[in-house]
Amino acid sequence: MNGKRYELSILPLFEDDLNEIVDYITYRLKNPAAAERLVDDVEAAIIERFTCAESFEPYHSARERQYPYYRIQVRNFTVFYVVIGNTMEVRRILYSRRNWKDRI
């Protein structure tokens, strides 16, 4: 832990991504319990990272960015966030096996 205190910001795009994933698991795969567990796991991973958001290696993107992306692996999904000042801004959650490099 680096002792820095962060505020948490969740972008609507992240919420849209997560809702799409939950809907797919709930309705297409017919497994609402698994969808609920995934949401709990994502929330727990974000909270765990929240105390030390900049203590991990930034994700090296092909695009030039004002703020480097960081990522959190949660099962088969990757949560992307940036740190702006004292705010941890959660931006996306994408399926890890998908070609998401053009989506972030």
Side-chain angles (χ1 to χ4, degrees), residues 14 17-26 29 34-35 37-39 41-42 45 49 71-80 92-98 100 103:
F14 171 84
D17 289 342
L18 187 57
N19 286 334
E20 184 179 313
I21 292 163
V22 166
D23 286 350
Y24 180 82
I25 295 170
T26 300
L29 301 180
R37 284 191 306 272
L38 176 64
V39 170
D41 290 350
V42 168
R49 182 67 63 95
R71 52 188 178 167
I72 306 169
Q73 291 299 131
V74 181
R75 297 194 207 171
N76 291 331
F77 298 91
T78 305
V79 175
F80 292 92
R92 300 295 308 258
I93 180 170
L94 301 171
Y95 186 59
S96 297
R97 295 184 182 154
R98 196 169 176 186
W100 41 258
R103 298 184 74 188

Side-chain angles (χ1 to χ4, degrees), residues 4-103:
K4 187 173 179 179
R5 301 211 20 102
Y6 296 95
E7 294 181 27
L8 183 61
S9 173
I10 306 286
L11 291 188
L13 187 55
F14 171 84
E15 292 174 348
D16 292 345
D17 289 342
L18 187 57
N19 286 334
E20 184 179 313
I21 292 163
V22 166
D23 286 350
Y24 180 82
I25 295 170
T26 300
Y27 301 112
R28 179 84 181 211
L29 301 180
K30 300 187 185 327
N31 196 341
E36 188 174 326
R37 284 191 306 272
L38 176 64
V39 170
D40 290 344
D41 290 350
V42 168
E43 182 179 298
I46 291 170
I47 290 169
E48 182 179 336
R49 182 67 63 95
F50 186 63
T51 60
C52 54
E54 294 175 285
S55 297
F56 295 83
E57 181 180 358
Y59 169 69
H60 298 289
S61 171
R63 287 198 270 181
E64 186 69 29
R65 301 186 182 280
Q66 182 177 3
Y67 304 105
Y69 271 58
Y70 295 89
R71 52 188 178 167
I72 306 169
Q73 291 299 131
V74 181
R75 297 194 207 171
N76 291 331
F77 298 91
T78 305
V79 175
F80 292 92
Y81 69 92
V82 297
V83 177
I84 303 170
N86 67 336
T87 301
M88 178 180 167
E89 184 177 90
V90 180
R91 293 189 168 182
R92 300 295 308 258
I93 180 170
L94 301 171
Y95 186 59
S96 297
R97 295 184 182 154
R98 196 169 176 186
N99 185 10
W100 41 258
K101 293 177 182 174
D102 58 341
R103 298 184 74 188

